[in-house]
Amino acid sequence: MSLASWFRWNEPPSRISQRSPTEMVVETLMMELGWQIKQAEKQQRERENEYRKIKTGVDYGWLVSYPKPKHSYDISPGERLQLEDMCTKIHPSYCGPVLLRFRQLIAEYEPEVQEVARLFRSVLQEATEKIKEEEEAKKLARQWNTKHKTSLSLMTFKSRTRISPFSSNIKTISEDVERGTEPTRRVWSMPEFRSAKDY
């Protein structure tokens, strides 16, 4: 009997292969939200205990062990669905930056338990707006590149007609006045166009 049959190293992880990247992003972000809510609850309990110590002036913490609260804060199902829907709009490459930004705001503001979900929603909205801006910038860049390619093709096209505004035999109004002749109906401010065979 071989050792490979005892250890299931050769089997591919079936759970990972069945999930799409979007599902993994949603699960990761929602797990982070749940963990941050639990941390906020823990910090709130610690603040309440500190307040009790200050209020009574005596620390009975060594004597009394506080049981874990049976009622913990939970997000409403409607709000959870909205947050999950917002998480589906986050591209997998933005998952890490979203987590970092959320953790940064949590550390900066130290929100109450009820405010954690709102803070998470604001981070998700900020990320989706950034994604939209970058998509629009890419779209404009693609449009610019296609327009630029066509304009370059027009620039490389050599025309047989040339514009020569400083040609020596261009007539001016002052010449006509000096000679005393009537000017022709041609507009004198325009350059003279000549074909290539005139050169």
Side-chain angles (χ1 to χ4, degrees), residues 106-178:
I106 291 286
E108 185 177 330
Y109 293 115
E110 295 181 4
E112 297 292 324
V113 179
Q114 300 83 5
E115 298 170 347
V116 173
R118 278 184 265 153
L119 198 61
F120 185 65
R121 179 185 302 273
S122 70
V123 169
L124 292 176
Q125 286 173 343
E126 185 179 303
T128 53
E129 288 171 4
K130 186 175 181 180
I131 290 171
K132 285 180 185 177
E133 288 174 3
E134 288 183 2
E135 286 175 357
E136 288 175 6
K138 286 179 184 177
K139 186 178 177 182
L140 287 174
R142 271 187 261 123
Q143 287 176 351
W144 170 255
N145 286 339
T146 56
K147 285 181 182 177
H148 194 61
K149 286 178 185 175
T150 57
S151 66
L152 281 177
S153 66
L154 289 175
M155 284 175 47
T156 57
F157 176 73
K158 292 189 176 180
S159 173
R160 292 185 179 156
T161 306
R162 293 188 180 178
I163 301 172
S164 23
F166 302 110
S167 179
S168 62
N169 58 357
I170 295 177
K171 295 182 180 181
T172 62
I173 294 176
S174 61
E175 290 177 1
D176 290 339
V177 170
E178 289 173 2

Side-chain angles (χ1 to χ4, degrees), residues 42-58:
K42 182 180 173 185
Q43 287 178 352
Q44 190 171 355
R45 279 195 307 270
E46 289 174 358
R47 283 192 294 258
E48 288 172 359
N49 291 340
E50 288 295 321
Y51 177 71
R52 272 192 224 119
K53 275 189 224 175
I54 293 171
K55 187 177 176 184
T56 60
V58 182

Side-chain angles (χ1 to χ4, degrees), residues 26-39 98-100 102-103 106 116 120:
V26 171
E27 185 178 331
T28 303
L29 292 175
M30 294 306 288
M31 282 175 41
E32 179 71 20
L33 174 64
W35 186 79
Q36 291 293 350
I37 287 174
K38 287 180 184 177
Q39 287 298 109
V98 166
L99 289 175
L100 289 176
F102 182 50
R103 290 174 184 171
I106 291 286
V116 173
F120 185 65

